[in-house]
């Protein structure tokens, strides 16, 4: 285990003595026992070196402990930094491996402000974002499993419902056919029974005549015999004629009762080879990854991180439709694809422009006063609706208001970082969780215009010409006031934490440093 490793004092070991170390020097990268530590601290040359306990050293990641300020190839101290390869170099490295690398800087200059630079916050946020992305991806995949399981259950239900429907339909067709069979059979049987009854009656009469014939011959007179024979002849002739008549009417023809199965039914056995198909379709992912910056090591190298380095330049001019005579732009949002969303105060409407400044369409309009707006998703913007105490979420692509958030205070401004949304009034604000739309009220945090970045809230109040910076929990961090900021109208931030103010009173754009101590007018 790493905790059980016993570190020895480096200087004592060099002198042949094994003595337990108690501290480690970050700059010298050596261990000191108690006595050597005291000598080290007294030395004027290394007096400012930072020492940590061996216990704290043990807590450092293995990667950090294995790092050294000495070049492994040349055993010389790193003194240069190559911006091309994003790596430290010694003097010998420059000659051997980096001859063609023109952008070499002193390593001390790079490391001077590394811990206090905006890059540290960027990396911390990236680490947090990657972790959240992973958890969100895991949650999404688990949700997909549950969704697929539900889809499977619905599919089984659909198959069985179809089978039941087919069974019920076929049972109905079968019963209709059997009913028809029974009707035809009963009709044939009824007709034959009528003739059978008629013939049985005549056969009974002939039976009786046959018995009477013997008595007639043996016991009657000649006259009686003559009359009797005539009657028997007549009855016999009638019976024979009746049978001949039935035969002539085809009563004795054979009637064959059979069934013809519908060809469509029979074709099921021949042509239907499956009950259906299982189809798996793919749609675009709903996962919105927060990370995505590449070559992050380059952010450790100072580049345009000083307020004097900010030099704006003209990109595009908007083309207003000819039928629009007046337009009072109260807020502006740039979508992820570069399209521009403008908010017209006069008519309380949202206008969409292409990324080359051409008017596309009107998105939606409101009956309430439109005071502020911000981007909360790829194509979703939030709109603060003033005294209506509401903030609306608008889907720009589909021209619809997808949700309205009702709050207990006036909604003068709104800002978002994609996870949370801060809606401010002049006296208090609300932090809204965009996942479940729950919110927390921040008493005393008020602003006419607001922005949210890296867990900090930035706000301005027009008549005070000040910028306020708060933690997202409401604790104040700093206040900045300057004569160049007059009647501030809008506020936003860049990736380095610089705050940009639209100063309406003097028609200028003023940028304020991340610590709220200096400012510079960059457009006027």
């Amino acid at each position: 285990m790493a905790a059980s490793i016993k570190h020895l004092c480096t200087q004592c070991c060099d002198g042949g003595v094994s003595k337990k170390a108690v501290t480690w020097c970050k700059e010298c990268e050596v261990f000191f026992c108690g006595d050597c530590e005291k000598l080290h601290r007294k030395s004027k040359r290394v007096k400012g070196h930072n020492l940590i306990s061996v216990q704290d050293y043990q807590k450092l990641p293995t990667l950090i402990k294995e790092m050294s300020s000495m070049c492994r190839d040349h055993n010389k101290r790193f003194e240069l930094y190559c911006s091309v390869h994003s790596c430290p170099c010694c003097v010998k490295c420059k000659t051997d491996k980096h001859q063609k690398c023109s952008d070499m800087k002193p390593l001390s200059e790079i490391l001077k402000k590394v811990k206090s630079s905006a890059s540290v916050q960027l990396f911390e946020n990236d680490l947090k974002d990657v972790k959240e992305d992973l958890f969100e991806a895991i949650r999404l995949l688990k949700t997909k499993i549950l969704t697929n399981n539900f889809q499977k259950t619905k599919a089984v239900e659909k198959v069985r419902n179809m089978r039941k429907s087919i069974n019920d339909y076929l049972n109905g067709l079968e019963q209709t056919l059997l009913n028809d069979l029974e009707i035809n059979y009963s009709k044939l049987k009824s007709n034959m029974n009528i003739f059978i009854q008629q013939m049985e009656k005549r056969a009974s009469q002939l039976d009786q005549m046959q018995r009477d014939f013997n008595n007639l011959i043996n016991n009657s007179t000649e006259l009686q015999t003559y009359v009797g024979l005539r009657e028997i002849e007549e009855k016999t002739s009638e019976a024979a004629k009746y049978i001949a008549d039935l035969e002539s009417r085809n009563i004795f023809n054979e009637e064959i009762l059979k069934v013809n199965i519908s060809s469509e039914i029979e074709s099921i056995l021949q042509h239907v080879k499956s009950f259906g198909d299982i189809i798996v379709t793919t749609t675009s992912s709903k996962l919105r990854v927060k990370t995505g910056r590449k070559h992050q090591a380059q952010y450790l190298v100072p580049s345009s991180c000083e307020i004097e380095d900010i030099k704006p330049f003209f990109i595009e001019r908007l083309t207003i439709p000819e039928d629009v005579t007046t337009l009072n732009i109260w807020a502006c949002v740039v979508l992820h694809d570069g399209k521009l969303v403008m908010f017209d105060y006069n008519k309380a409407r949202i206008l969409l422009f292409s990324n080359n400044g051409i008017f596309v369409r009107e998105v939606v309009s409101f009956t309430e006063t439109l005071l502020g707006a911000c981007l909360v998703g790829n194509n979703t913007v939030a709109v603060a609706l003033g005294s209506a105490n509401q903030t609306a979420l608008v889907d720009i692509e589909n021209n619809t208001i997808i949700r309205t958030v009702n709050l207990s205070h006036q909604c003068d401004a709104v800002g978002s970082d994609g996870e949370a949304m801060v809606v401010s009034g002049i006296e208090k604000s609300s932090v809204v969780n965009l996942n479940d739309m729950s919110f927390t009220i921040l008493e005393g945090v008020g602003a006419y215009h607001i922005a949210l970045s890296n867990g900090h809230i930035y706000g301005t109040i027009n008549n005070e010409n000040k910028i306020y910076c708060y933690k997202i929990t409401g604790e104040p961090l700093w206040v900045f006031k300057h004569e160049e900021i007059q009647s501030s109208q809008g506020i936003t931030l860049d990736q380095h934490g610089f705050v940009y103010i639209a100063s309406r009173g003097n028609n200028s754009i003023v940028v304020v440093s991340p610590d709220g101590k200096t400012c510079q007018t960059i457009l006027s």
Side-chain angles (χ1 to χ4, degrees):
M1 294 176 61
S4 63
I5 296 176
K6 183 178 180 180
H7 293 283
L8 301 176
C9 175
T10 306
Q11 291 189 351
C12 291
C13 285
D14 291 342
V17 179
S18 297
K19 201 168 182 180
K20 184 179 178 181
V22 293
T23 56
W24 183 73
C25 178
K26 292 182 179 180
E27 284 75 13
C28 299
E29 298 180 3
V30 296
F31 291 99
F32 293 116
C33 62
D35 295 334
C36 291
E37 177 193 350
K38 291 177 182 177
L39 293 174
H40 187 73
R41 291 186 183 277
K42 290 179 179 179
S43 173
K44 293 182 178 180
R45 186 175 60 86
V46 294
K47 190 175 183 180
H49 284 195
N50 193 352
L51 280 72
I52 63 172
S53 68
V54 171
Q55 290 78 12
D56 288 339
Y57 173 83
Q58 289 287 70
K59 296 176 183 178
L60 292 174
T62 303
L63 174 66
I64 302 301
K65 288 189 284 188
E66 291 177 352
M67 290 180 63
S68 172
S69 61
M70 303 295 290
C71 175
R72 293 182 180 179
D73 295 334
H74 306 109
N75 197 29
K76 290 182 177 294
R77 184 171 293 277
F78 290 127
E79 296 179 2
L80 301 172
Y81 182 84
C82 177
S83 299
V84 177
H85 296 93
S86 303
C87 66
C89 311
C90 69
V91 176
K92 191 71 173 173
C93 288
K94 186 178 188 309
T95 306
D96 291 352
K97 300 179 181 178
H98 300 271
Q99 291 179 352
K100 296 182 180 180
C101 300
S102 58
D103 193 11
M104 301 287 285
K105 299 179 180 178
L107 184 62
S108 58
E109 188 178 301
I110 300 299
L111 301 179
K112 184 169 55 178
K113 297 181 179 179
V114 65
K115 289 190 176 182
S116 61
S117 69
S119 303
V120 173
Q121 183 67 49
L122 288 173
F123 281 106
E124 183 180 2
N125 290 340
D126 285 347
L127 182 62
K128 174 174 172 287
D129 288 344
V130 171
K131 181 180 176 182
E132 290 179 357
D133 284 343
L134 284 173
F135 281 118
E136 180 62 19
I138 292 169
R139 185 198 66 77
L140 180 64
L141 291 178
K142 288 182 177 180
T143 301
K144 284 177 63 177
I145 291 175
L146 294 175
T147 301
N148 291 151
N149 183 57
F150 174 75
Q151 291 167 346
K152 175 193 169 188
T153 302
K154 296 294 289 184
V156 170
E157 183 181 341
K158 183 177 181 179
V159 170
R160 289 179 176 165
N161 285 341
M162 178 55 69
R163 176 60 183 270
K164 183 178 182 302
S165 298
I166 292 173
N167 287 346
D168 292 344
Y169 185 69
L170 289 177
N171 287 340
L173 295 179
E174 178 189 24
Q175 192 58 50
T176 300
L177 186 61
L178 292 176
N179 290 342
D180 193 26
L181 175 65
E182 183 63 33
I183 290 171
N184 281 275
Y185 168 73
S186 298
K187 183 177 179 181
L188 291 173
K189 180 180 177 182
S190 176
N191 290 338
M192 287 186 286
N193 280 334
I194 291 173
F195 291 118
I196 288 171
Q197 290 174 5
Q198 292 175 356
M199 287 185 283
E200 283 179 344
K201 183 178 180 181
R202 289 180 182 273
S204 179
Q205 291 174 351
L206 292 176
D207 249 358
Q208 185 61 41
M209 283 185 182
Q210 195 172 24
R211 288 192 296 273
D212 291 345
F213 178 80
N214 292 328
N215 289 329
L216 180 65
I217 296 299
N218 296 324
N219 301 315
S220 64
T221 64
E222 283 77 2
L223 179 58
Q224 289 174 329
T225 299
Y226 175 77
V227 174
L229 289 174
R230 290 295 300 272
E231 186 177 349
I232 289 173
E233 180 185 14
E234 184 179 344
K235 295 293 185 184
T236 302
S237 178
E238 286 180 3
K241 184 179 179 182
Y242 173 72
I243 294 173
D245 180 58
L246 291 179
E247 186 178 14
S248 67
R249 290 164 53 192
N250 300 323
I251 298 301
F252 301 115
N253 287 353
E254 185 176 0
E255 293 176 308
I256 300 172
L257 187 63
K258 67 177 183 178
V259 63
N260 284 328
I261 300 298
S262 167
S263 60
E264 285 84 357
I265 295 296
E266 290 181 335
S267 70
I268 292 177
L269 301 175
Q270 298 174 2
H271 302 297
V272 178
K273 302 301 182 184
S274 71
F275 202 86
D277 298 310
I278 303 301
I279 301 172
V280 178
T281 58
T282 302
T283 58
S284 59
S285 171
K286 295 181 179 179
L287 180 66
R288 294 293 175 261
V289 179
K290 299 174 186 175
T291 55
R293 294 193 295 110
K294 298 180 180 179
H295 309 298
Q296 293 181 339
Q298 297 291 346
Y299 283 84
L300 290 172
V301 182
S303 60
S304 297
C305 289
E306 300 297 331
I307 197 167
E308 295 81 9
D309 297 328
I310 299 175
K311 307 293 183 183
F313 58 92
F314 176 80
I315 295 179
E316 195 59 72
R317 189 183 302 275
L318 297 186
T319 302
I320 307 299
E322 294 181 359
D323 59 341
V324 177
T325 55
T326 58
L327 197 60
N328 189 352
I329 300 299
W330 206 253
C332 172
V333 169
V334 182
L335 302 181
H336 289 167
D337 59 4
K339 293 178 182 176
L340 302 167
V341 181
M342 298 293 172
F343 300 82
D344 182 11
Y345 177 84
N346 288 349
K347 295 187 177 181
R349 58 180 175 168
I350 301 177
L351 304 176
L352 178 65
F353 292 80
S354 66
N355 50 15
N356 58 358
I358 305 300
F359 175 72
V360 178
R361 67 175 185 273
E362 179 177 323
V363 180
V364 293
S365 60
F366 299 89
T367 56
E368 301 85 0
T369 304
L370 189 159
L371 292 181
C374 71
L375 183 68
V376 295
N378 284 342
N379 287 293
T380 304
V381 298
V383 183
L385 300 176
S387 58
N389 293 1
Q390 293 180 337
T391 296
L393 299 183
V394 180
D395 186 331
I396 299 298
E397 185 175 356
N398 296 312
N399 302 343
T400 55
I401 300 172
I402 57 179
R403 192 180 189 112
T404 300
V405 182
N406 295 299
L407 298 171
S408 61
H409 57 80
Q410 180 154 323
C411 301
D412 292 322
V414 59
S416 175
D417 60 2
E419 296 180 8
M421 178 175 71
V422 177
V423 185
S424 69
I426 190 57
E427 295 180 349
K428 54 186 170 182
S429 302
S430 292
V431 180
V432 182
N433 186 321
L434 290 174
N435 293 320
D436 57 15
M437 304 312 290
S438 60
F439 61 88
T440 303
I441 294 179
L442 304 179
E443 297 286 350
V445 178
Y448 284 129
H449 306 284
I450 202 165
L452 178 62
S453 178
N454 295 328
H456 292 166
I457 301 170
Y458 301 83
T460 65
I461 297 178
N462 294 358
N463 54 2
E464 294 184 3
N465 297 330
K466 295 179 180 178
I467 303 173
Y468 294 84
C469 179
Y470 304 88
K471 290 183 179 180
I472 198 168
T473 49
E475 295 92 335
L477 293 176
W478 51 260
V479 179
F480 180 79
K481 183 177 181 179
H482 198 277
E483 60 183 8
E484 293 186 19
I485 302 174
Q486 299 177 19
S487 186
S488 56
Q489 184 66 30
I491 183 171
T492 190
L493 289 90
D494 66 15
Q495 63 177 355
H496 300 295
F498 288 102
V499 187
Y500 296 79
I501 307 297
S503 180
R504 187 179 186 184
N506 54 10
N507 294 327
S508 64
I509 302 294
V510 179
V511 60
V512 179
S513 61
D515 57 7
K517 293 181 178 179
T518 60
C519 76
Q520 175 178 284
T521 298
I522 58 173
L523 279 175
S524 62

